[in-house]
Amino acid sequence: MVKTKVGQVTPAEKDEIQALFERRNGLSELAKIVTADNEELYEKLVKDLGVTGMKFQQWWDSMSAKYEWESVEGGNWEINFDTCDIYLVKP
């Protein structure tokens, strides 16, 4: 696996993806303990996970188009939340 810096985002843009990242991780952890027995909570969790995942992907799509980051098949981008740097991770 090779990491290459391909760009940087603004602190405000970083804050957007960090909030989505933390929400997605929190929901994923919650999904490990919520069972389908509590149908109402389970359905809300599944819906929220879907919406958050979609917003997360939309942020990456939007930023990659805006900044024209390099990409490769099978690769993905990562962000360093401390520096706002974006890295392309190649398989």
Side-chain angles (χ1 to χ4, degrees), residues 16-28:
E16 288 176 45
I17 195 62
Q18 188 169 17
L20 289 169
F21 176 81
E22 290 171 358
R23 180 170 186 83
R24 187 183 69 166
N25 286 352
L27 289 169
S28 293

Side-chain angles (χ1 to χ4, degrees), residues 9-20 59 79 81 84:
V9 294
T10 67
E13 291 166 338
K14 181 266 302 183
D15 289 345
E16 288 176 45
I17 195 62
Q18 188 169 17
L20 289 169
W59 184 92
I79 184 168
F81 291 121
C84 300

Side-chain angles (χ1 to χ4, degrees), residues 47-65:
K47 181 180 177 184
D48 203 1
L49 261 170
V51 169
T52 302
M54 185 179 66
K55 288 179 181 178
F56 187 83
Q57 187 59 50
Q58 285 174 340
W59 184 92
W60 284 106
D61 293 344
S62 173
M63 294 298 117
S64 69

Side-chain angles (χ1 to χ4, degrees), residues 18-50:
Q18 188 169 17
L20 289 169
F21 176 81
E22 290 171 358
R23 180 170 186 83
R24 187 183 69 166
N25 286 352
L27 289 169
S28 293
E29 288 300 312
L30 185 58
K32 293 176 183 176
I33 60 172
V34 171
T35 65
D37 295 342
N38 186 340
E39 191 173 330
E40 184 179 337
L41 182 59
Y42 182 77
E43 291 299 320
K44 183 171 174 31
L45 175 62
V46 169
K47 181 180 177 184
D48 203 1
L49 261 170

